[in-house]
Amino acid sequence: MSSNNRKKLLLMGRSGSGKSSMRSIIFSNYSAFDTRRLGATIDVEHSHLRFLGNMTLNLWDCGGQDVFMENYFSQQKDHIFQMVQVLIHVFDVESQEVIKDIEIFTKALSQLKQYSSDAKIFVLLHKMDLVQRDKRQELFQIMMSKLQETSSAYGFPNLIGFPTSIWDESLYKAWSQIICSLIPNMATYQSNLLKLKSVMDAREIILFERATFLVICSSNTTTGELLDPKRFEKISNIMKNFKQSSMKLKSSFKTLVLDNTIFVSELSSNMMCFIVLNNSDGPQELILENIKKVRVHFQ
Amino acid sequence: MNSEDSNSKATILLMGLRRGGKSSICKVVFHNMQPLDTLYLESTSNPTTEHFSTLIDLAVMELPGQLNYFEPNYDSERLFKSVGALVYVIDSQDEYMNALTNFAIIVEYAYRVNPDINIEVLIHKVDGLSEDFKVETQRDIMQRTGEELLELGLDGVQVSFYLTSIFDHSIYEAFSRIVQKLIPELPFLENMLDNLVQHSKIEKCFLFDINSKIYVSTDSSPVDIVMYETCAEFVDVTIDLHDLYKVQNISDSVTRPQREIKSSSALNNGIVIYLRQMIRGLALVALIRPDDTDVESCLTVVDYNVDIFKKGLEQVWAHTRIKPLEAKGSK
């Protein structure tokens, strides 16, 4: 099972749908502006990313021009579609040829069924920022029901989809769910986190991967608190911005303490924790000491 | 005379030819609009005034740029007398000869009516220019302005130039300096900040207006734009995170007075960024270098000193027109 720590992710979609932009923002610290500079991807661009130390993500960013696409489904099909853990298919919401987009999606599905039938499928409706706010939900529903139908026909009944945009935090939500589906020892993290929560008397604790700031897991607060449902993605976005700005001082940040209630600190070499306390009266040293002690359990 | 500033609003007059970017500046600096959204702003046809209260009560008046040349009439005399600073926006990506002539005429008039006026020129939209070309343009504009003014017999007028763009922090920096000139208590403030810096291992500190992210004062060491950017971004981070988790406090806030925002962040190279809320929507942001002492004791000293600094601020501004209550309500 040594190969289990190497995950193959296919990033597919037609030309111009924003695949490489996503990859650059999430994994290479690009800002949304910087992605304009990216040129078209030629054939397949591989990137090997270490995630949480022991996991390697092999991201196959497949160029989306028709010439390459044809190739993937004919000559290279066994090479491309073998041992795939995850297919991330990106749709451009502004696309003129929706029928053709879906056709390519079905082609990919049929290959996957043949070569790696237990792959997980995610679809991203990308560039949502170009659609009017009030129409986004409706458009997403229509598209998803259509795609659900197609993917069920090919034997992938549970399709998960996200509306995304590089200009807001929706991108982080999508990717953190995708990556989380690959983490094997999630249950351990979860139970450790809940213990930590009770010890610290916290309102909420969230675990982030350090380099990408994707949410790994959170102590689920089902107490009916009125918290912003989008807070995870927003924190990812805010913290990543802060990370970038601390780079200007030629450093990276270690801890952040806000109002004595919010503590952001590194847990291990590849994890950050975000702790929100119930009361702000506890001495800061005690809390930081607690965080230090807990590090052992998240290595 | 300008000395009436203390009981009238300090006013900034924003002028320039049409499509120079005046409204965009207003929206971006004071309304937190995204720079890209300003592409769709309509043309301003009437003079608009907007009020902002930070340390001083500030009004920014924007005049439409449509008038072919500036025509002096009765109204403009009164207007210029009440103004503290004239900000003229020149589009650096456009042919600017017309703008310069227009500018000279305005300056001549303004200077005659109100000799105390601060004259500021924003060489705007420099984001599209290369580094060499920026310097070239600035030199060219400065020289031509000098010539125009000399022709009108006004070679003694102080004109300041700023290279600005709404797509980076340069516009905030420029506005910070412009607003600073209108604060009568500035030397005193700087002194206080200098004192603070001396006694608490602070490398650089800024007094920010939280909403607009312009700084009303800083200590007397030179301003590094990188430090300014980092501090401004830290204000953003703090406010965003604070807002995310304050939902629960809505019911509490009636009974309990709002606590001041305070945050600090330690970086791996030893620098600590520190933020404390001050009076009137201001925040003190400081870069601290603890060197060989440990972070906690350093922060304790800073906390203590900042407390004193805040008391100082409160005392100085206790007798000004806005009652503290009002200031709190506007936050």
Side-chain angles (χ1 to χ4, degrees):
Chain A
M1 293 289 272
S2 63
S3 65
N4 226 9
N5 278 336
R6 299 178 71 82
K7 312 282 182 185
K8 179 171 168 186
L9 290 86
L10 278 189
L11 187 56
M12 287 200 131
R14 291 195 61 207
S15 164
S17 57
K19 301 174 292 298
S20 302
S21 304
M22 288 187 183
R23 183 178 57 116
S24 312
I25 289 178
I26 299 282
F27 297 106
S28 314
N29 288 330
Y30 274 50
S31 77
F33 257 114
D34 296 337
T35 60
R36 291 182 181 185
R37 294 204 298 261
L38 292 169
T41 307
I42 307 298
D43 209 32
V44 183
E45 231 168 68
H46 301 269
S47 31
H48 303 279
L49 312 147
R50 286 183 78 75
F51 198 83
L52 287 180
N54 53 2
M55 198 163 82
T56 314
L57 304 178
N58 291 346
L59 194 62
W60 294 43
D61 182 4
C62 307
Q65 286 167 35
D66 291 338
V67 200
F68 305 130
M69 277 291 186
E70 289 303 317
N71 209 1
Y72 303 148
F73 299 124
S74 52
Q75 286 152 17
Q76 293 181 295
K77 61 183 176 188
D78 46 346
H79 173 58
I80 298 255
F81 290 99
Q82 233 160 31
M83 312 229 316
V84 173
Q85 252 87 16
V86 172
L87 168 71
I88 303 157
H89 203 103
V90 187
F91 291 90
D92 179 356
V93 282
E94 284 242 298
S95 168
Q96 301 297 315
E97 306 161 291
V98 185
I99 306 291
K100 195 164 177 206
D101 292 348
I102 295 179
E103 191 187 308
I104 283 181
F105 181 50
T106 57
K107 272 188 190 166
L109 287 179
S110 68
Q111 297 297 339
L112 266 189
K113 188 177 161 63
Q114 195 182 340
Y115 289 100
S116 33
S117 54
D118 54 351
K120 297 190 182 79
I121 315 286
F122 292 92
V123 289
L124 306 180
L125 284 195
H126 199 46
K127 305 197 185 177
M128 265 295 174
D129 54 295
L130 297 173
V131 183
Q132 278 175 40
R133 216 166 276 275
D134 47 334
K135 292 194 180 142
R136 285 179 195 173
Q137 189 57 32
E138 194 193 343
L139 187 80
F140 181 64
Q141 296 295 354
I142 296 171
M143 195 68 185
M144 277 312 290
S145 63
K146 175 76 188 144
L147 292 176
Q148 193 84 35
E149 203 179 289
T150 7
S151 75
S152 305
Y154 283 88
F156 295 102
N158 35 5
L159 179 78
I160 304 170
F162 301 97
T164 58
S165 157
I166 57 169
W167 299 99
D168 59 30
E169 61 278 351
S170 59
L171 192 65
Y172 289 94
K173 179 184 182 151
W175 278 89
S176 90
Q177 302 230 10
I178 292 172
I179 301 295
C180 277
S181 74
L182 294 171
I183 298 174
N185 43 354
M186 196 60 128
T188 328
Y189 286 141
Q190 193 79 42
S191 67
N192 278 346
L193 204 60
L194 283 177
K195 271 183 218 151
L196 178 63
K197 187 191 171 200
S198 69
V199 168
M200 308 248 319
D201 183 27
R203 262 169 92 187
E204 183 169 58
I205 303 182
I206 311 168
L207 271 192
F208 291 94
E209 201 277 331
R210 190 169 168 183
T212 56
F213 257 101
L214 294 174
V215 177
I216 297 168
C217 65
S218 69
S219 65
N220 35 347
T221 40
T222 43
T223 45
E225 276 186 278
L226 288 170
L227 283 170
D228 190 340
K230 284 187 179 169
R231 63 190 179 282
F232 299 151
E233 305 90 273
K234 282 185 179 161
I235 295 169
S236 291
N237 205 5
I238 295 168
M239 293 315 291
K240 197 135 185 196
N241 283 341
F242 180 49
K243 198 177 128 190
Q244 235 123 73
S245 78
S246 68
M247 228 109 89
K248 285 179 196 156
L249 294 177
K250 298 183 189 66
S251 180
S252 60
F253 89 108
K254 202 163 57 179
T255 55
L256 188 149
V257 183
L258 175 68
D259 284 347
N260 232 349
T261 49
I262 298 178
F263 286 78
V264 191
S265 169
E266 54 187 3
L267 261 192
S268 65
S269 53
N270 37 45
M271 254 189 262
M272 299 291 277
C273 64
F274 186 97
I275 302 174
V276 188
L277 297 181
N278 272 321
N279 54 349
S280 56
D281 312 325
Q284 196 169 320
E285 290 78 24
L286 178 70
I287 294 152
L288 291 175
E289 196 58 36
N290 272 338
I291 295 176
K292 240 180 236 166
K293 284 279 184 298
V294 92
R295 278 187 189 152
V296 190
H297 301 280
F298 286 95
Q299 293 300 341
Chain B
M1 277 293 287
N2 217 16
S3 61
E4 282 149 26
D5 257 0
S6 50
N7 48 29
S8 73
K9 279 193 169 63
T11 311
I12 292 178
L13 198 59
L14 202 56
M15 299 180 80
L17 290 189
R18 56 188 296 274
R19 301 193 46 76
K22 300 178 291 299
S23 303
S24 304
I25 292 175
C26 255
K27 295 280 184 211
V28 168
V29 175
F30 296 108
H31 295 267
N32 285 324
M33 196 190 239
Q34 288 302 310
L36 277 180
D37 293 342
T38 62
L39 291 176
Y40 311 109
L41 282 180
E42 306 236 338
S43 132
T44 315
S45 52
N46 288 315
T48 48
T49 315
E50 291 177 80
H51 298 280
F52 305 97
S53 40
T54 60
L55 206 55
I56 48 168
D57 251 355
L58 186 71
V60 176
M61 188 187 258
E62 187 191 337
L63 294 187
Q66 268 82 354
L67 298 174
N68 201 359
Y69 279 104
F70 179 68
E71 292 146 31
N73 53 34
Y74 169 70
D75 200 31
S76 46
E77 180 171 340
R78 197 172 48 82
L79 183 72
F80 274 101
K81 272 193 174 150
S82 66
V83 158
L86 168 73
V87 178
Y88 194 85
V89 183
I90 293 177
D91 182 348
S92 67
Q93 296 187 16
D94 202 11
E95 199 48 61
Y96 48 71
M97 293 311 292
N98 275 339
L100 293 180
T101 339
N102 180 254
F103 171 66
I105 295 169
I106 294 174
V107 170
E108 185 197 15
Y109 184 76
Y111 195 65
R112 195 150 38 83
V113 176
N114 179 0
D116 285 337
I117 199 165
N118 291 311
I119 295 163
E120 327 274 353
V121 176
L122 302 185
I123 302 172
H124 197 48
K125 306 193 192 175
V126 291
D127 47 287
L129 305 183
S130 70
E131 211 55 46
D132 292 349
F133 205 61
K134 262 184 212 173
V135 181
E136 178 83 355
T137 312
Q138 182 180 19
R139 197 192 47 77
D140 189 45
I141 288 182
M142 285 171 84
Q143 191 186 349
R144 285 177 199 272
T145 323
E147 281 166 10
E148 292 269 4
L149 290 181
L150 196 63
E151 233 167 76
L152 294 166
L154 290 165
D155 47 338
V157 184
Q158 272 304 316
V159 183
S160 319
F161 294 88
Y162 306 89
L163 290 166
T164 59
S165 155
I166 54 170
F167 292 96
D168 56 28
H169 282 84
S170 58
I171 186 70
Y172 296 98
E173 235 255 318
F175 255 85
S176 303
R177 298 201 172 180
I178 292 168
V179 170
Q180 279 171 29
K181 288 188 187 168
L182 300 177
I183 301 174
E185 297 91 344
L186 188 72
F188 169 74
L189 256 181
E190 264 184 16
N191 243 329
M192 273 211 311
L193 284 171
D194 272 343
N195 262 328
L196 180 70
V197 167
Q198 257 172 36
H199 293 283
S200 36
K201 298 212 170 187
I202 295 177
E203 187 168 307
K204 183 77 195 160
C205 67
F206 295 96
L207 205 51
F208 272 98
D209 175 44
I210 292 176
N211 289 324
S212 61
K213 247 97 56 202
I214 59 182
Y215 63 94
V216 292
S217 182
T218 178
D219 60 296
S220 48
S221 63
V223 177
D224 179 1
I225 187 85
V226 176
M227 283 183 178
Y228 168 69
E229 279 174 23
T230 330
C231 289
E233 277 159 9
F234 190 64
V235 176
D236 275 333
V237 170
T238 306
I239 299 300
D240 287 350
L241 287 182
H242 181 78
D243 286 352
L244 217 48
Y245 278 94
K246 74 172 183 190
V247 191
Q248 199 197 32
N249 297 339
I250 288 176
S251 53
D252 296 351
S253 65
V254 188
T255 52
R256 212 166 43 183
Q258 272 260 324
R259 291 192 40 199
E260 61 170 23
I261 302 173
K262 177 185 166 188
S263 72
S264 60
S265 170
L267 304 185
N268 277 325
N269 60 356
I271 297 183
V272 178
I273 312 179
Y274 175 92
L275 180 146
R276 268 280 286 278
Q277 192 173 7
M278 296 279 127
I279 57 169
R280 298 183 179 197
L282 294 179
L284 180 92
V285 185
L287 294 177
I288 307 169
R289 230 184 244 285
D291 292 328
D292 42 354
T293 50
D294 63 316
V295 178
E296 266 129 58
S297 53
C298 189
L299 280 184
T300 316
V301 174
V302 172
D303 269 335
Y304 179 76
N305 284 335
V306 170
D307 275 339
I308 296 172
F309 174 76
K310 188 174 180 184
K311 277 199 196 99
L313 276 186
E314 274 163 0
Q315 275 171 15
V316 177
W317 273 271
H319 305 297
T320 44
R321 278 158 305 106
I322 335 173
K323 315 267 178 304
L325 268 178
E326 261 178 56
K328 260 184 199 154
S330 68
K331 250 182 259 166

